[in-house]
């Protein structure tokens, strides 16, 4: 059986256009630097951006 469509790779979906394409869902602010985080605004607890999360982990790892 030689069916070429069996192994065909689907075409990638086109990227959304317009000003709302970059916006995405509203993100929570980092509690330290006020930059947007990876978490939605509805996330509970102290939300940190990736940079502050990395720095906080580095501090706690070295604190003994």
């Amino acid at each position: 059986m030689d069916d070429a469509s069996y192994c065909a790779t689907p075409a990638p979906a086109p990227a959304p256009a317009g000003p709302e394409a970059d916006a995405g869902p509203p993100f929570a602010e980092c509690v330290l630097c006020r930059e947007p985080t990876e978490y939605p605004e509805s996330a509970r607890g102290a939300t940190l951006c990736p940079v502050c999360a990395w720095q906080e982990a580095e501090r706690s790892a070295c604190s003994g």
Side-chain angles (χ1 to χ4, degrees):
M1 188 149 108
D2 190 25
D3 187 7
S5 65
Y6 179 77
C7 295
T9 305
E20 65 278 349
D22 295 332
F27 293 104
E29 287 184 347
C30 176
V31 296
L32 299 177
C33 69
R34 316 236 356 151
E35 290 293 319
T37 65
E38 301 171 333
Y39 304 103
E41 282 184 341
S42 61
R44 294 179 164 214
T47 54
L48 298 174
C49 70
V51 173
C52 289
W54 181 80
Q55 290 173 344
E56 200 60 34
E58 187 177 63
R59 271 184 240 141
S60 65
C62 296
S63 65

